[in-house]
Amino acid sequence: MSDVATRVPAPKASGKPLRRKHVGVHVVLILGAVVMVGPFFWEVMTSLKTLGETMTVPPTVFPKHAQWSNYGKVFDTLPFGQMFWNSTLQTVGRVLGQLVLCSMAGYAFARFEFRGRGLLFGLFLSVLMVPSQLFLLPQYEIISGLGWLNSIQALVVPGLFSAFGTFLLRQFFLTLPRELEEAARLDGANHWQIFTRVMLPLARPGLVALAVLDVLWSWNDLMWPLVVNNDPTKMPLSVGLASLIGQFTVDTTTLMAGSVLATLPVLVLFIALQRQFIQGIAFSGSKG
């Protein structure tokens, strides 16, 4: 028996193939990171150049002398502080509205049994298939009829609800065990208490994921604010920065400096919430 054991070759260690595999994965991730970070790096470098340096051929990456005055020109050219405040109000209003309304709608579609639930949910999803530009004219007529043109509510109200947000949170609520609700009912909790005290705290990753996506969408929204607001003091940053692009010339350095300032708050928010964002997206797709 011992002779047979000595003739059997020992299994080879699998550490080397695993290491090679990991190196390949890391190379792909690094290349992906460079592709993602590259435009933002170029934006920062361009914001510190002179206008002449932005037009050189071949283009230069680093400025000879950093022009920090370009950031001051942004505040001289635009009412940047007021536009930043308008963007903040627009984003916060839309995010809070969607977190409240979409969480209730998503919970209802996930947990309540009622006639026509599948058909109604299908109608909600059908909204995602329609280009948003088709809603511009009827929404404009409604906002104009209410007398809300050139106002903050014109920016906020149409974005208070989202079919995508309802779908995302419904998928997340489906992953939560029903035993939690049954235990709460045995303790005498009603539907509202179960939703607010049991399900919502557990749905925090899904809510964070929706909040981050909605912040990105609301902060960068250009088409709708451009239609309903033509007063510079009521415009968000997206429209203000777009106004720096002229018909024949573009002040690239000022535009890039303003874009950097507008990007920083969203970047900081995503870095702070990235773990919960990834967790919320992963959980939302784990059950159909």
Side-chain angles (χ1 to χ4, degrees):
M1 189 70 179
S2 60
D3 294 338
V4 175
T6 56
R7 290 197 299 268
V8 176
K12 295 182 180 180
S14 60
K16 190 173 181 180
L18 287 177
R19 283 199 298 271
R20 288 179 178 176
K21 180 180 178 181
H22 292 166
V23 169
V25 171
H26 282 83
V27 169
V28 173
L29 292 176
I30 291 173
L31 292 176
V34 170
V35 171
M36 296 297 294
V37 177
F40 181 71
F41 176 78
W42 184 267
E43 180 183 64
V44 174
M45 291 298 100
T46 304
S47 70
L48 298 175
K49 296 178 182 179
T50 62
L51 189 59
E53 287 177 323
T54 63
M55 301 179 181
T56 58
V57 179
T60 58
V61 178
F62 299 97
K64 291 183 179 179
H65 302 285
Q67 305 294 319
W68 296 103
S69 59
N70 291 335
Y71 288 88
K73 287 173 61 178
V74 177
F75 293 88
D76 296 335
T77 307
L78 298 173
F80 189 87
Q82 183 62 45
M83 290 181 172
F84 186 91
W85 177 244
N86 294 339
S87 292
T88 302
L89 291 178
Q90 170 184 284
T91 302
V92 171
R94 289 183 178 183
V95 170
L96 291 180
Q98 290 199 23
L99 290 181
V100 173
L101 298 178
C102 293
S103 62
M104 290 191 292
Y107 179 72
F109 280 121
R111 294 308 202 201
F112 291 170
E113 298 288 345
F114 54 90
R115 182 177 299 178
R117 183 182 68 169
L119 176 61
L120 184 59
F121 186 66
L123 292 175
F124 269 81
L125 294 184
S126 67
V127 176
L128 300 176
M129 306 176 190
V130 180
S132 59
Q133 291 80 2
L134 293 180
F135 300 119
L136 284 178
L137 184 57
Q139 287 180 342
Y140 179 84
E141 292 293 336
I142 294 173
I143 295 299
S144 177
L146 293 173
W148 285 357
L149 296 179
N150 290 318
S151 66
I152 296 299
Q153 56 266 34
L155 303 177
V156 175
V157 173
L160 288 179
F161 185 76
S162 166
F164 171 77
T166 301
F167 169 76
L168 181 70
L169 294 181
R170 173 200 178 256
Q171 296 301 107
F172 193 91
F173 283 123
L174 286 175
T175 65
L176 300 179
R178 289 187 176 272
E179 289 78 7
L180 296 173
E181 296 174 86
E182 295 172 358
R185 288 194 186 95
L186 291 176
D187 290 336
N190 56 34
H191 286 299
W192 180 251
Q193 291 171 330
I194 294 173
F195 171 67
T196 56
R197 300 183 184 181
V198 178
M199 307 306 286
L200 272 186
L202 295 175
R204 181 179 178 184
L207 295 173
V208 170
L210 177 60
V212 172
L213 291 174
D214 194 30
V215 165
L216 293 175
W217 170 66
S218 299
W219 192 264
N220 296 320
D221 189 16
L222 174 63
M223 180 69 72
W224 177 247
L226 191 63
V227 170
V228 295
N229 283 357
N230 54 27
D231 183 357
T233 62
K234 301 296 182 181
M235 291 180 179
L237 273 177
S238 57
V239 180
L241 293 175
S243 67
L244 295 177
I245 303 176
Q247 184 177 1
F248 301 105
T249 60
V250 179
D251 190 351
T252 309
T253 57
T254 305
L255 177 62
M256 290 299 176
S259 299
V260 171
L261 294 176
T263 304
L264 286 178
V266 180
L267 183 62
V268 171
L269 177 67
F270 179 77
I271 292 175
L273 300 177
Q274 61 177 325
R275 179 172 299 180
Q276 292 178 320
F277 172 75
I278 296 172
Q279 183 182 6
I281 293 295
F283 284 174
S284 298
S286 61
K287 186 173 182 180

